[in-house]
Amino acid sequence: MDIELEQEMCEDIMAIITMFSARLYGRRSRRNLKAMQALHEAQAQMIDEVLTTESY
């Protein structure tokens, strides 16, 4: 009976670790996505500026 209790406790701990890991990776993923979007916007703005100054 102790083995069943220990097994259940291990499964609960693994579920908690999995949940927090998923949240952590989700936050990191969103943060990286926002950074990539900002870089693409900055790149597009720089290209527009270069094209506008070349036309003079």
Side-chain angles (χ1 to χ4, degrees):
M1 202 149 197
D2 289 333
I3 294 175
E4 291 176 8
L5 182 61
E6 189 174 314
Q7 178 69 28
E8 186 177 341
M9 186 179 290
C10 286
E11 290 173 359
D12 290 344
I13 290 172
M14 289 302 293
I16 291 169
I17 291 172
T18 302
M19 179 189 68
F20 281 114
S21 296
R23 285 185 181 183
L24 176 66
Y25 288 121
R27 286 182 186 162
R28 186 179 304 160
S29 176
R30 277 190 298 267
R31 184 178 63 221
N32 289 341
L33 181 62
K34 286 180 182 179
M36 287 297 287
Q37 288 173 340
L39 284 173
H40 287 294
E41 290 173 6
Q43 180 185 19
Q45 184 179 8
M46 289 175 66
I47 290 171
D48 287 343
E49 289 176 5
V50 167
L51 293 176
T52 342
T53 57
E54 287 180 358
S55 64
Y56 288 116

